[in-house]
Amino acid sequence: MNPGEGATAWSPAVRENAPEREPGRGAGCAVMSEPPAGDAAPVLVTGLPRSGTSWTGKMLAAGRDLVYVNEPLNPQHPPGRCPGVLRASVTHRFQYICDDNAAHWLPAFRDTVTLRYRWLSELRANHSPYDLARLLRYGTAFTLGRLTGRRALLDDPFAVLSAGWFAARLGCRVIALVRDPVSFVASWQRLGWTVYFHELLEQPLLVRDHPELLELRALIGSQDRVLKAALLWRATRTILERTPGVLVTSYESLAADPLTGFHRLYDHAGLTWTPLAARRITRACTGPSSRARTGFAWSGLSRTAFHRMDSRHALSDPARGLSPEDAARVRALTT
């Protein structure tokens, strides 16, 4: 996604303070797997939609050490509901995964992060000409990636509330992008997006582990899109702040100084920073914007929010699409 506008940067930090119960681990549950370590670790880039995950994922893949996997937890097809990539049924946006429901998710994601593509499962589920082209693209990328020792990079904003599970059980190097709240809400307003809180509240394990989400029940059915987006941002930030094993990174700090910021993320992910990566990141983050009018564009067979742009210029006018009154209201709600 286009690195955006913003004022207040949220300083990045790796959260290593463990709460009484680890996020993603229910009470009394045993550790279910030994996650990969070191250079074998997959990478998860997450954060709320329109927080820069596509852009960050593409820049991390610029060094050619990773196989880019686009939003396996998206309930919409495409990019989600592709059992070749993830052989599990997604039932909610922001699907919550923890050890108490891991019997469904852990085998499926083990296949995904070890780049084992399920050809027959995909062919049975999706067989339009477009789907067949995606099957060939992903199946080939997974197979070649596995044979050449590349790692999986999951770009998935819908994994944001389960980031702790991905870190603890799959051994992912997790990077969570957070955008300035005014810029985030303004972006959603420009696209006409809203959030339906019943998608969160209908997940009992999510509410059990994060009971503060119950406060959102009063907004089910509300037409106040600004208020709902601001409170989603606040709730997600609160959850990420107490999740161990997650590098929380300011979207704006990356846009302001992409080479320095991405060099640090490469180090965190255990990736080699090369002249090729630096050149590709510089080229992608400078020059005229290729942004589609909708905020999305097609890259190969994927519809993505990533596009070439001048990342520093993109920091201007963070409240575009919001009235001054709404911008002030968002800032008050999220401070």
Side-chain angles (χ1 to χ4, degrees):
M1 295 180 182
N2 163 30
E5 317 121 13
T8 306
W10 190 12
S11 299
V14 179
R15 309 295 180 185
E16 295 182 347
N17 51 307
E20 293 181 6
R21 177 192 296 168
E22 293 179 42
R25 184 175 181 185
C29 290
V31 175
M32 299 188 65
S33 65
E34 287 298 325
D39 293 341
V43 178
L44 170 65
V45 178
T46 191
L48 288 171
R50 304 300 294 172
S51 293
T53 62
S54 295
W55 174 59
T56 301
K58 291 291 188 180
M59 296 303 96
L60 290 174
R64 297 181 178 171
D65 290 330
L66 300 169
V67 175
Y68 182 87
V69 183
N70 185 37
E71 298 188 10
L73 284 175
N74 192 325
Q76 180 177 336
H77 176 77
R81 301 194 181 279
C82 291
V85 173
L86 180 68
R87 194 165 55 167
S89 178
V90 176
T91 58
H92 294 82
R93 292 183 186 276
F94 306 109
Q95 187 87 47
Y96 186 63
I97 306 174
C98 65
D99 282 356
D100 290 331
N101 61 5
H104 178 70
W105 297 103
L106 190 57
F109 269 112
R110 278 179 178 157
D111 282 349
T112 304
V113 300
T114 56
L115 299 175
R116 298 190 179 278
Y117 192 81
R118 298 299 180 178
W119 298 82
L120 290 178
S121 297
E122 183 67 31
L123 191 58
R124 291 189 189 105
N126 303 308
H127 35 260
S128 71
Y130 172 81
D131 290 322
L132 293 176
R134 279 180 59 91
L135 177 150
L136 289 174
R137 178 191 176 200
Y138 266 103
T140 301
F142 274 40
T143 302
L144 291 177
R146 189 174 71 253
L147 292 175
T148 56
R150 296 168 75 189
R151 292 187 277 154
L153 181 150
L154 310 183
D155 161 23
D156 205 330
F158 295 101
V160 65
L161 301 180
S162 303
W165 183 84
F166 280 87
R169 300 296 169 256
L170 291 171
C172 289
R173 305 287 180 90
V174 180
I175 297 165
L177 274 293
V178 176
R179 189 173 184 172
D180 175 81
V182 170
S183 179
F184 166 77
V185 174
S187 179
W188 276 44
Q189 282 291 102
R190 291 194 298 272
L191 292 171
W193 286 5
T194 191
V195 59
Y196 298 101
F197 285 132
H198 68 84
E199 297 248 30
L200 306 182
L201 297 172
E202 288 174 357
Q203 300 186 68
L205 296 174
L206 174 59
V207 174
R208 178 201 68 186
D209 290 347
H210 304 290
E212 68 274 13
L213 293 174
L214 289 171
E215 298 174 359
L216 303 176
R217 189 181 300 278
L219 292 174
I220 291 178
S222 170
Q223 300 302 306
D224 190 339
R225 293 190 292 119
V226 170
L227 175 62
K228 292 200 295 183
L231 294 185
L232 176 65
W233 186 97
R234 188 174 72 184
T236 304
R237 180 193 63 181
T238 299
I239 291 170
L240 287 174
E241 282 184 325
R242 62 171 181 251
T243 301
V246 175
L247 183 72
V248 180
T249 300
S250 163
Y251 172 67
E252 285 75 24
S253 69
L254 284 178
D257 189 358
L259 282 181
T260 299
F262 281 113
H263 196 164
R264 182 176 54 82
L265 294 188
Y266 269 62
D267 289 343
H268 174 72
L271 299 170
T272 302
W273 180 257
T274 63
L276 172 66
R279 286 196 304 271
R280 295 183 76 183
I281 290 170
T282 298
R283 186 165 58 247
C285 299
T286 58
S289 173
S290 60
R291 176 168 54 186
R293 299 182 75 178
T294 61
F296 294 88
W298 287 90
S299 175
L301 295 170
S302 297
R303 184 171 180 264
T304 176
F306 165 73
H307 57 269
R308 182 183 174 188
M309 52 27 206
D310 182 340
S311 64
R312 294 177 181 85
H313 178 72
L315 293 172
S316 62
D317 194 13
R320 183 169 61 91
L322 289 181
S323 68
E325 294 76 17
D326 278 339
R329 183 162 64 121
V330 170
R331 191 68 70 192
L333 287 165
T334 56
T335 299

